[in-house]
Amino acid sequence: MKPYANLPPLPSRISRLGKLAFDLWWSWHEEAREVFRRLDYPLWRLTAHNPVRMLRMVSRERLEQAARDPSFLNVYDAAIKALDRALTAKESWWIRRFPHLPMGPIAYFSAEFALHQSLPIYAGGLGVLAGDHCKEASDLGLPLIGVGFMYPQGYFHQRMSSEGWQEEVYEQLNWDHAPIERAVTKEGKPCIISVPVGNRSVLVSVWCVRLGQVKLYLLDTSMEENAPSDRELSARLYGGDRETRVQQEIILGVGGVLALRALGSNPVVWHLNEGHAAFVVLQRIREALEREESFEEAIEEVRSSTVFTTHTPVPAGHDTFPFHLVEAHLAAYLGSLGQYRDDFLALGHYDNGGGPMFNMTALALRTAGAINGVSQIHERVTREMWAPIWPGLPESERPVKALNNGIHISTWIAPDISRLLEKHLGKEWRDRHEESEFWGEIFKIPDEELWAVRQALRRYLIAFIRERARQRWTQEQVSAARVLTAGTLLDPAALTIGFARRFTGYKRPELIFHDPERLARILNAPRRPVQIVFAGKAHPVDDMGKHHLQSVYKRAIDPTFGGRIAFVDDYDLHVAHFLVQGCDVWLNTPRKPFEASGTSGMKASVNGVLHLSSGDGWWAEGYTGSNGWLIDGGVMTGEPAAVDAADAEALYRLLEEEVVPTFYDRDVDEVPRRWLRMVKEAIRTVTPRFSTRRMVKQYAEWMYASAVNKAVAK
Ligand SMILES: *Cc1c(COP(=O)(O)O)cnc(C)c1O
């Protein structure tokens, strides 16, 4: 395999830059990021940290120069050595923990993966979780293989009209700029599979992304041999109608299994991240029937080796299809099931009140042997919500566990914070970050140093926001109003609140504007200014979400708020990094109990950005009383308007009486001691509990290992 063959030639002394660029392992290792940053800093910024693209653009002279520069070579050699060590590690947590388990792979299926902004195959939280899961699996040495989609147009880019209406721009990905390679079969040929959809076959080519020890395989239908409509099937994430969607899900589920087979992989555990990939089950039942097993035996086999994670209590978040669509597009498979055709269709049968539909979550719930929700509240809600799946079983016996989400610490922690931790807690903080006791050490960090870092992170954020506004103005000629709303009047020293997430009703993006005059007083207070930075996309067909967005935009140009409200467009991983590291406060106002988890608050907390949130999702467990604030209006039931009014009141009181005074309470050295005490508490309490280190270990111990054992026992 010659994956980097079409990169321009590199000087031999630094020839492995190509390998480093094509292994996203670099993205969560500071020593490797440093290589590219030093290679060409303007290009590093221009490409939004995309080494593959950089290597195509960087000048030959610069490469030659770097190959002779001892200080560059030091950094380069260290990074290459670290990569080699990571790739050949014989010792890992997984091997130590389960020395007797065979190394059968764990297949992890997800419709989206957020790994890096240079690979735009994600929309939001679900993708970030999947990406973080894979990175952690690599760190821990799990034999995990990811399976997902290579969307040539990805998810949309967001632009705002001068009226504040969201415009969706789809850009064709330049494949030469993405860290992907063609996957090859055991025989050394490009991996291309044929997936029966309806009464035709769709060709799917398979791409590979390297993440240290883990590989992720991405399915792509944009092949010339396919009909134009089939080529479009994998074009966009969540872009099409129901009919497109069911076909996409057949490609992901059925095609994913076929791809793994073609690659010579025989997973012993199949983890379905959300219901989108539940057709995996269909292909596996079919394979079992071909081995002359009965339907019951086939289901038993699937159940003993399938893990399912459900992610949302919002009904629209679960895929359902009319039976006729499923029957039409699965015709080839259903035919081959013979007498069991109806048994299979019954596995997805679910009536949510609007008549029976084929429900992907129901299919997964009925065929997985291990099922989890992503927080305690979400576990309870899932048991209630899906009660008909387990007729006659009392709630306490319905087989849904809570396994909390986490974030990949090395991906999300700011380098400035990690340097501070290294200095005062020692280099081992990374290896020990899930040990709660270890974090007592955080109080060793002098307030002055921590404050200097927190201030610097806020300055980076504001510089980033202004630079983006400048670019939009000079390169895209957006209106002056748009330049203003993009954050040009932000103050690098003011208390900065971040609110960044998908714009949708239950997240209540407008809650903080409930009483605009009161908010204006808080923002414009003399000597204690407060500013709010918003970011987030609305789903392309969610007009309500777009209206929320437009309202926020109108607040941003309203002089009442003095330019202290900003909207940063095109929220993605890159923007998210600046926001969760650079704000002072992270605001989240979901209506209970619709936020299953909410991982952005975890990212903020580990960076010492204090979480100010209603007690839903992870925060119901994460809030300790001293590591942030809980918005609780005390009204649980009744009219949503009454709940909102009470929550808004609670939010204002917290801002007026606690958040603002604590932030601006400075001693003679201008240091906010009480604030920093909370910052340390946030880092101390959240990092160990809400990391993917803890999360992936739990998946391994509670779910994967027992499935592997069952597979071995057979
Ligand atoms: C973390 C993240 C999310 C998910 O955050 P929530 O708190 O669940 O809204 C969404 N989008 C991006 C880009 C993220 O980084």
Side-chain angles (χ1 to χ4, degrees):
M1 179 170 39
K2 284 210 196 104
Y4 331 114
N6 58 357
L7 273 185
L10 294 162
S12 62
R13 178 64 178 84
I14 52 173
S15 62
R16 296 185 70 208
L17 272 180
K19 178 160 182 67
L20 194 61
F22 274 90
D23 193 325
L24 282 174
W25 175 92
W26 70 260
S27 70
W28 73 94
H29 290 88
E30 187 49 29
E31 70 262 48
R33 285 200 298 259
E34 190 59 21
V35 173
F36 297 110
R37 201 181 287 126
R38 288 211 192 182
L39 181 64
D40 194 326
Y41 187 67
L43 271 187
W44 171 251
R45 299 224 6 216
L46 178 85
T47 62
H49 308 177
N50 180 345
V52 173
R53 194 167 161 215
M54 278 181 75
L55 291 183
R56 293 189 196 286
M57 296 172 76
V58 65
S59 71
R60 184 73 205 177
E61 297 80 74
R62 176 60 200 128
L63 286 169
E64 303 280 2
Q65 206 181 25
R68 289 189 309 264
D69 171 1
S71 102
F72 178 82
L73 291 175
N74 265 342
V75 179
Y76 168 82
D77 289 339
I80 295 292
K81 210 166 130 197
L83 174 62
D84 284 342
R85 223 179 308 125
L87 293 180
T88 54
K90 298 262 175 324
E91 262 286 283
S92 72
W93 173 81
W94 171 264
I95 292 171
R96 282 196 308 276
R97 179 70 183 77
F98 302 109
H100 304 302
L101 274 191
M103 289 291 281
I106 298 157
Y108 181 91
F109 280 71
S110 179
E112 47 173 305
F113 287 88
L115 300 159
H116 189 259
Q117 57 265 14
S118 59
L119 200 57
I121 54 170
Y122 63 92
L126 181 70
V128 177
L129 184 82
D132 281 9
H133 190 115
C134 292
K135 292 174 183 173
E136 190 68 52
S138 173
D139 292 346
L140 292 173
L142 265 66
L144 188 119
I145 304 175
V147 181
F149 259 118
M150 182 63 227
Y151 304 99
Q153 298 177 23
Y155 198 50
F156 68 92
H157 288 284
Q158 178 192 52
R159 289 292 181 271
M160 303 298 290
S161 78
S162 47
E163 283 75 52
W165 194 251
Q166 169 177 301
E167 288 162 0
E168 291 104 34
V169 182
Y170 286 92
E171 265 171 32
Q172 189 72 28
L173 176 71
N174 185 334
W175 299 56
D176 282 343
H177 295 169
I180 53 173
E181 309 157 27
R182 282 196 183 282
V184 288
T185 61
K186 277 176 300 186
E187 295 77 30
K189 300 216 178 69
C191 181
I192 295 171
I193 53 165
S194 164
V195 184
V197 180
N199 51 20
R200 64 194 195 282
S201 287
V202 177
L203 288 184
V204 176
S205 62
V206 185
W207 297 88
C208 176
V209 179
R210 294 170 186 268
L211 300 160
Q213 300 230 353
V214 164
K215 283 190 182 138
L216 168 61
Y217 292 104
L218 301 175
L219 311 177
D220 167 24
T221 66
S222 67
M223 298 188 61
E224 297 201 344
E225 294 87 340
N226 285 332
S229 57
D230 288 341
R231 248 181 268 165
E232 284 283 304
L233 280 179
S234 70
R236 299 171 175 190
L237 172 59
Y238 308 144
D241 55 10
R242 292 283 88 194
E243 187 132 20
T244 305
R245 187 76 165 252
V246 72
Q247 296 176 79
Q248 277 192 333
E249 296 189 356
I250 292 169
I251 306 272
L252 178 61
V254 175
V257 179
L258 294 173
L260 290 176
R261 301 296 184 216
L263 292 162
S265 172
N266 285 308
V268 287
V269 183
W270 304 74
H271 188 164
L272 311 178
N273 187 42
E274 196 56 303
H276 308 122
F279 285 136
V280 163
V281 164
L282 172 59
Q283 176 60 20
R284 294 191 57 220
I285 291 175
R286 197 171 98 128
E287 290 176 352
L289 294 179
E290 277 167 7
R291 289 192 302 265
E292 309 275 311
E293 291 180 25
S294 70
F295 193 74
E296 287 67 33
E297 285 167 334
I299 292 286
E300 217 20 72
E301 182 178 328
V302 167
R303 193 170 283 139
S304 67
S305 51
T306 301
V307 171
F308 174 51
T309 305
T310 177
H311 283 275
T312 179
V314 179
H318 298 271
D319 269 326
T320 59
F321 302 108
F323 276 93
H324 70 88
L325 273 190
V326 176
E327 288 172 58
H329 293 293
L330 280 178
Y333 295 93
L334 296 175
S336 71
L337 294 183
Q339 63 190 114
Y340 302 121
R341 182 181 184 280
D342 294 340
D343 294 318
F344 175 79
L345 289 172
L347 291 173
H349 186 283
Y350 200 77
D351 188 345
N352 230 337
M357 299 278 271
F358 191 93
N359 184 308
M360 297 298 280
T361 305
L363 172 61
L365 290 172
R366 288 197 181 103
T367 54
I371 300 164
N372 72 290
V374 292
S375 65
Q376 301 281 346
I377 295 182
H378 184 228
E379 172 203 88
R380 209 191 58 233
V381 173
T382 302
R383 288 176 177 206
E384 277 168 24
M385 179 172 169
W386 297 94
I389 296 283
W390 307 282
L393 271 193
E395 198 179 307
S396 62
E397 288 173 30
R398 293 175 203 152
V400 181
K401 267 201 186 81
L403 198 166
N404 252 290
N405 283 345
I407 56 155
H408 185 246
I409 299 297
S410 296
T411 294
W412 289 104
I413 203 153
D416 299 54
I417 297 274
S418 74
R419 273 195 294 275
L420 203 56
L421 294 173
E422 211 162 277
K423 178 171 167 198
H424 295 282
L425 278 64
K427 263 190 162 24
E428 75 264 29
W429 81 264
R430 264 182 217 280
D431 292 330
R432 297 185 60 189
H433 77 246
E434 54 157 352
E435 298 172 27
S436 289
E437 319 77 58
F438 175 73
W439 285 95
E441 304 274 301
I442 191 137
F443 295 106
K444 282 187 185 163
I445 299 180
D447 286 347
E448 289 73 9
E449 287 186 40
L450 180 57
W451 185 232
V453 165
R454 290 284 347 135
Q455 303 257 68
L457 291 170
R458 184 181 334 97
R459 283 197 307 271
Y460 304 156
L461 166 67
I462 299 208
F464 170 77
I465 291 175
R466 288 187 178 162
E467 194 49 39
R468 202 172 170 94
R470 192 189 323 276
Q471 268 178 20
R472 294 279 185 265
W473 200 24
T474 54
Q475 291 167 16
E476 300 171 27
Q477 273 94 50
V478 297
S479 67
R482 179 67 199 105
V483 177
L484 189 67
T485 57
T488 35
L489 288 181
L490 294 178
D491 173 352
L495 169 56
T496 304
I497 300 176
F499 182 101
R501 52 187 45 82
R502 186 159 53 87
F503 269 69
T504 188
Y506 80 83
K507 295 190 186 240
R508 298 191 292 185
E510 292 185 69
L511 189 78
I512 197 162
F513 298 106
H514 194 83
D515 180 345
E517 283 164 24
R518 190 163 173 190
L519 178 63
R521 279 197 300 278
I522 295 172
L523 301 192
N524 295 320
R527 283 185 286 121
R528 301 200 315 189
V530 178
Q531 53 199 4
I532 315 178
V533 180
F534 285 89
K537 298 173 176 174
H539 190 282
V541 298
D542 180 7
D543 269 1
M544 274 311 291
K546 292 187 193 179
H547 280 290
H548 287 304
L549 221 164
Q550 187 170 37
S551 306
V552 168
Y553 180 87
K554 292 203 163 138
R555 303 293 189 182
I557 32 175
D558 182 344
T560 316
F561 299 106
R564 300 194 197 278
I565 292 174
F567 182 80
V568 178
D569 64 11
D570 209 25
Y571 183 49
D572 70 352
L573 283 180
H574 196 47
V575 177
H577 270 89
F578 280 97
L579 284 169
V580 300
Q581 296 170 359
C583 291
D584 299 293
V585 171
W586 196 252
L587 177 67
N588 192 15
T589 50
R591 180 175 285 125
K592 268 175 104 167
F594 293 111
E595 182 92 313
S597 172
T599 53
S600 60
M602 304 173 188
K603 301 168 194 166
S605 297
V606 306
N607 282 294
V609 175
L610 299 178
H611 201 215
L612 169 61
S613 168
S614 27
D616 200 9
W618 79 283
W619 195 232
E621 296 156 66
Y623 176 62
T624 61
S626 53
N627 61 353
W629 299 274
L630 184 74
I631 305 167
D632 183 3
V635 180
M636 298 300 179
T637 52
E639 284 297 302
V643 177
D644 290 355
D647 285 350
E649 170 65 27
L651 170 57
Y652 292 133
R653 288 183 73 101
L654 282 171
L655 287 172
E656 290 161 349
E657 293 170 13
E658 309 215 13
V659 180
V660 178
T662 313
F663 184 83
Y664 283 108
D665 175 11
R666 309 286 165 90
D667 68 1
V668 287
D669 303 319
E670 277 297 308
V671 176
R673 308 265 168 206
R674 281 198 295 140
W675 184 269
L676 292 169
R677 169 105 207 159
M678 290 184 75
V679 166
K680 289 176 185 173
E681 278 294 314
I683 299 173
R684 181 181 80 81
T685 55
V686 176
T687 314
R689 285 182 63 201
F690 297 96
S691 65
T692 45
R693 181 71 41 98
R694 184 270 309 150
M695 178 187 87
V696 171
K697 284 185 176 179
Q698 284 179 337
Y699 276 111
E701 288 172 346
W702 298 358
M703 299 183 160
Y704 299 160
S706 60
V708 178
N709 274 326
K710 278 185 215 149
V712 176
K714 277 178 65 117

